Structure formats: C-alpha cells, structure tokens
Amino acid sequence: MKKVCMIYTGGTIGMKKTENGYYPEPHFLERSLKQIHELSYHEVPEFDLIEYSPLLDSSNIQMEQWTKIAEDIFEHYDEYCGFVILHGTDTMAYTASALSFMLQGLSKPIVLTGSQIPLEEIRSDARDNIISSLMIAGEGQISEVCVFFANKLFRGNRCVKISSDEKGAFSSPNYPVLAESGITIRYFNRNIDIPKGAELLYTPIKKQNILVLKVVPGISYDSFTKLITEHLDALVIEAFGSGNIPNRSHELTKLLQTAEQNNTAVVICTQCLRGTTSIGEYETSSQLKDADAICAYDMTVESTVAKLYYLLSKGYNRKQLKKWMETNIAGELSR
Ligand code: ASP
C-alpha cells in the first residue's frame, strides 16, 4: 500500500482564530483532519502526519526550517511514495524554490500546499488542496518539488504568490502548469521535463546576507550604497523590463564599485512577471554589464534568492556563483 508523508509546518491551513488574529495552534490541524471522511476513501493514499514544533506563520520561516524539511524528507525518503508539505502561503514560493535546490535527483513528488481559509472554517479551500495534493503525491507522476493550489500544480521554483485574498493565490507566470485537477487530475507531460533522478542528493542551506532592491523612478542609490558592506553577500536588483535601471547619476557607479570592493554579488532580476532579463540590450543596463553583474534571466525573485542561499552555502567564489546562477539547476531557468 502506498503511503505519503505529510509534514505540517504551520500556516493558515491549520490556524485557529484568536483575539490576536489567526494563530497555528498545536494539534489543531490533526484534530480537524479527522473530520474529513474522504481521507479514508481508497482513492486517497494513507498518510503519516509529522507536525513541527513550534508551528510557524510562514513569515517567520528561516533557513533552519528549510533544512529541517529537507532533512526529514531525506531521512524518510525510502519509506514513502511522496511527500506533502503543509505550509503558509506567504513564503511558500521561497520554501518550494529552496527545497528544489536542496533536494536534487528526486524520483518522487514533493507537493507543497496550504490554504487561504483555515481548514476549520466555512468555505475553506484547505480540504480540496489537501486531498488533491495527497493524491498527486501518491500517484508519483512527478519527480520534482511543486506547489498545488486551487486546482493547479505548479513547478515550485517557478511559482509566485499573486493574491493575498483570492483562492487562486499562486501562479507561475513564466512556466506552464504541470497538472490541473478537474474531474480527473490531468498531467501535462510536455511541461514535466525533469527526469526521475537515480539518487537523492541533499545539500543543507545556511543563512546568508541577501538584500533585494526594487528600483523605482527617482531612486537615490546613495542610501542603499550605505547598506553594502563586507557582510552583504548578495544584492538582488529588481530592474525594469529586460534589466534596465536609472543610470544618469554617478550614484550608480558608486553603488557598483562599493559592491565590487566588498565582494558583494550583484544579481539582476526583472520586475516583470513574464519574460527574461537580458543585460546589455539597452544602454540603461550597460553599466551592469560592465560590472559583470549576474543575470537572473527568467527566474522569479523568490527562486533567485533561494538559489543564492543554496550556492553561497556551498561556499562558491564569485566566478562560480555567476556561472551557476546563470545555469539551470532544477528547472528554475529556461536556458
Ligand atoms: N500568514 C500565513 C502564512 O503564511 C498566510 C497563509 O498561510 O495563507 O503562514
């Protein structure tokens, strides 16, 4: 009999309403799950539940939790046919991206899901997200980290949270969906291009100092230059369009020089949801090209940040970092 491992890390899905707002109460989800009679249907795989302590609102997720999830999957990998990670939606895209780098060579599905309305509340989306995720984890047609939400299965390191209040909270604007759950669960095989791995490889991630800077018209780089010290490992710049930034003041030169002097990697993402960064296409990105900035191409900011945590944790120097940031590792980048 196929068995799935379900890990509850926290998040709205198992939260209870309190005077101070929603809060993930220990064992509350476990009790609520007992009320879902469909979980005993033969179509739904059996599962074991691991509940973390403390349960977290995912805004508080740190590298230790990423490491714990990856370690638990690695440790129990042979015992289960797949894994479902119940997680808060706020940082789910970061965790999914991080896990996709930390766990390579997967041959089983790792499905992250959550909900916009707690399982215990009326009109909750939790019930269907849990049942469908368990079925996808049990079916074993996917061998990568993915996110299931509102009837759609996304590649984990391609998805972004697009809505704070709609049930369709996620999308993967730069990559097609992997599967859709309608009357049946339909897999789109042409999009599922990560082959089953022969051996699981686990790499832990450590904390790194990463700053994300979104450029806006009229930006004053000087205030950000002060933040670039020897302690800053990477500066991710969310640029306009294909990687363009305001370049008509000397402040930019100073910012890039300061980054170089402090050995801070500069990575360029786009503010656009679709398309790719292409440094050097316009004069407004030429200074970035001259500074040998790293191009994130069509990676999401979430994936870029998670990939930086992963590569910096491996102790790569700046040259290796640039090479691997610009190379596809886990389906996060179309190149
Ligand atoms: N703040 C919650 C969390 O990310 C939101 C959610 O789960 O939907 O943990």
Side-chain angles (χ1 to χ4, degrees), residues 13 45 57 75 84 144 210 286 297:
I13 194 159
D57 182 300
E75 210 173 291
V84 171
E144 59 180 284
I210 300 169
S286 56
Y297 294 98

PDB file of all heavy atoms in Angstrom, residues 13 45 57 75 84 144 210 286 297:
ATOM      1  N   ILE A  13      -3.677  27.135   7.007  1.00  0.00           N
ATOM      2  CA  ILE A  13      -4.411  25.881   6.838  1.00  0.00           C
ATOM      3  C   ILE A  13      -4.808  25.243   8.168  1.00  0.00           C
ATOM      4  O   ILE A  13      -5.911  24.726   8.298  1.00  0.00           O
ATOM      5  CB  ILE A  13      -3.598  24.921   5.915  1.00  0.00           C
ATOM      6  CG1 ILE A  13      -4.464  23.771   5.430  1.00  0.00           C
ATOM      7  CG2 ILE A  13      -2.312  24.433   6.570  1.00  0.00           C
ATOM      8  CD1 ILE A  13      -3.926  23.099   4.174  1.00  0.00           C
ATOM      9  N   PRO A  45      -4.352   8.139  -0.804  1.00  0.00           N
ATOM     10  CA  PRO A  45      -3.358   7.296  -0.136  1.00  0.00           C
ATOM     11  C   PRO A  45      -3.328   7.509   1.378  1.00  0.00           C
ATOM     12  O   PRO A  45      -3.674   8.585   1.855  1.00  0.00           O
ATOM     13  CB  PRO A  45      -2.032   7.738  -0.773  1.00  0.00           C
ATOM     14  CG  PRO A  45      -2.275   9.078  -1.334  1.00  0.00           C
ATOM     15  CD  PRO A  45      -3.734   9.164  -1.663  1.00  0.00           C
ATOM     16  N   ASP A  57       3.790  30.805  11.491  1.00  0.00           N
ATOM     17  CA  ASP A  57       3.267  31.597  10.387  1.00  0.00           C
ATOM     18  C   ASP A  57       4.463  31.649   9.426  1.00  0.00           C
ATOM     19  O   ASP A  57       5.590  31.912   9.860  1.00  0.00           O
ATOM     20  CB  ASP A  57       2.917  33.010  10.880  1.00  0.00           C
ATOM     21  CG  ASP A  57       2.317  33.867   9.778  1.00  0.00           C
ATOM     22  OD1 ASP A  57       3.014  34.086   8.755  1.00  0.00           O
ATOM     23  OD2 ASP A  57       1.191  34.330   9.931  1.00  0.00           O
ATOM     24  N   GLU A  75      15.627  11.784   5.203  1.00  0.00           N
ATOM     25  CA  GLU A  75      15.693  10.684   6.169  1.00  0.00           C
ATOM     26  C   GLU A  75      14.609   9.634   5.921  1.00  0.00           C
ATOM     27  O   GLU A  75      14.829   8.449   6.051  1.00  0.00           O
ATOM     28  CB  GLU A  75      15.501  11.280   7.567  1.00  0.00           C
ATOM     29  CG  GLU A  75      16.206  10.504   8.658  1.00  0.00           C
ATOM     30  CD  GLU A  75      16.086  11.274   9.959  1.00  0.00           C
ATOM     31  OE1 GLU A  75      16.716  12.358  10.048  1.00  0.00           O
ATOM     32  OE2 GLU A  75      15.323  10.832  10.818  1.00  0.00           O
ATOM     33  N   VAL A  84       3.854  15.509   1.211  1.00  0.00           N
ATOM     34  CA  VAL A  84       3.022  16.711   1.131  1.00  0.00           C
ATOM     35  C   VAL A  84       3.468  17.624   2.274  1.00  0.00           C
ATOM     36  O   VAL A  84       3.514  17.206   3.433  1.00  0.00           O
ATOM     37  CB  VAL A  84       1.518  16.368   1.277  1.00  0.00           C
ATOM     38  CG1 VAL A  84       0.682  17.638   1.415  1.00  0.00           C
ATOM     39  CG2 VAL A  84       1.041  15.566   0.067  1.00  0.00           C
ATOM     40  N   GLU A 144       9.602  16.129  -8.809  1.00  0.00           N
ATOM     41  CA  GLU A 144      10.177  17.432  -8.514  1.00  0.00           C
ATOM     42  C   GLU A 144       9.388  18.090  -7.373  1.00  0.00           C
ATOM     43  O   GLU A 144       8.355  17.564  -6.941  1.00  0.00           O
ATOM     44  CB  GLU A 144      10.162  18.332  -9.755  1.00  0.00           C
ATOM     45  CG  GLU A 144       8.803  18.583 -10.351  1.00  0.00           C
ATOM     46  CD  GLU A 144       8.879  19.501 -11.584  1.00  0.00           C
ATOM     47  OE1 GLU A 144       9.049  20.704 -11.396  1.00  0.00           O
ATOM     48  OE2 GLU A 144       8.759  18.992 -12.720  1.00  0.00           O
ATOM     49  N   ILE A 210      21.411  38.641   2.240  1.00  0.00           N
ATOM     50  CA  ILE A 210      20.938  38.978   0.894  1.00  0.00           C
ATOM     51  C   ILE A 210      19.974  40.157   0.989  1.00  0.00           C
ATOM     52  O   ILE A 210      19.074  40.166   1.833  1.00  0.00           O
ATOM     53  CB  ILE A 210      20.234  37.749   0.253  1.00  0.00           C
ATOM     54  CG1 ILE A 210      21.213  36.573   0.155  1.00  0.00           C
ATOM     55  CG2 ILE A 210      19.661  38.100  -1.114  1.00  0.00           C
ATOM     56  CD1 ILE A 210      20.585  35.250  -0.220  1.00  0.00           C
ATOM     57  N   SER A 286      23.975  48.984 -19.482  1.00  0.00           N
ATOM     58  CA  SER A 286      25.368  48.752 -19.880  1.00  0.00           C
ATOM     59  C   SER A 286      26.329  48.756 -18.682  1.00  0.00           C
ATOM     60  O   SER A 286      27.285  47.981 -18.648  1.00  0.00           O
ATOM     61  CB  SER A 286      25.805  49.796 -20.917  1.00  0.00           C
ATOM     62  OG  SER A 286      25.601  51.074 -20.381  1.00  0.00           O
ATOM     63  N   TYR A 297      17.998  36.028 -15.708  1.00  0.00           N
ATOM     64  CA  TYR A 297      17.163  35.578 -16.837  1.00  0.00           C
ATOM     65  C   TYR A 297      15.689  35.523 -16.418  1.00  0.00           C
ATOM     66  O   TYR A 297      15.187  36.498 -15.896  1.00  0.00           O
ATOM     67  CB  TYR A 297      17.682  34.256 -17.401  1.00  0.00           C
ATOM     68  CG  TYR A 297      19.042  34.443 -18.036  1.00  0.00           C
ATOM     69  CD1 TYR A 297      20.207  34.126 -17.338  1.00  0.00           C
ATOM     70  CD2 TYR A 297      19.176  35.010 -19.294  1.00  0.00           C
ATOM     71  CE1 TYR A 297      21.462  34.349 -17.910  1.00  0.00           C
ATOM     72  CE2 TYR A 297      20.417  35.238 -19.870  1.00  0.00           C
ATOM     73  CZ  TYR A 297      21.554  34.909 -19.180  1.00  0.00           C
ATOM     74  OH  TYR A 297      22.776  35.141 -19.732  1.00  0.00           O
TER      75      TYR A 297
END
